[in-house]
Amino acid sequence: MTAFEQAWDVVKMPYHGTSKRRAKLIMRQGLRGQRHPAFPKKRVSFGSKTLDLAREYAEMGHWGEQGAVIHIADDVPTLMNEPNAQAVVYEGTIPPEKLRMVKDE
């Protein structure tokens, strides 16, 4: 990956890796937060700061299903976005208009 591609990935981040089946549902209904032990009183969803990490999660996390990656608009408020962390945490539902499917290369 070239330096320009790496810089462009940072500008376009964050991403959410999932299965293609779930991605279709997310694009219709929004990315809905789920209960997570680290945030017991909130419904949260996660995004990756790199496209590669989101793709890796999309492929490994869904046991044989084809993966898909969704770009989350940069203006969506975050619950947690630490500078050195690989993940971004969102609270509640991210509406479909703030999401875009990433095309396969």
Side-chain angles (χ1 to χ4, degrees), residues 15-17 31 34 36 38-39 44-48 72 87-90:
Y15 304 93
H16 180 77
L31 181 56
Q34 304 295 319
H36 190 276
F39 304 92
V44 297
S45 55
F46 295 86
S48 167
I72 302 168
V88 179
V89 182
Y90 300 92

Side-chain angles (χ1 to χ4, degrees), residues 10 13-14 39 47-49 73-74 76-90:
V10 171
M13 69 119 183
F39 304 92
S48 167
K49 290 186 179 182
D74 298 331
V76 175
T78 60
L79 178 62
M80 194 166 79
N81 186 3
E82 300 297 322
N84 295 324
Q86 294 184 13
V88 179
V89 182
Y90 300 92

Side-chain angles (χ1 to χ4, degrees), residues 5 7-8 14 42-44 46 51 54 57 60 62:
E5 289 170 327
W8 184 244
K42 301 179 184 296
R43 291 188 173 273
V44 297
F46 295 86
L51 180 57
Y57 180 79
M60 74 175 208
H62 300 288

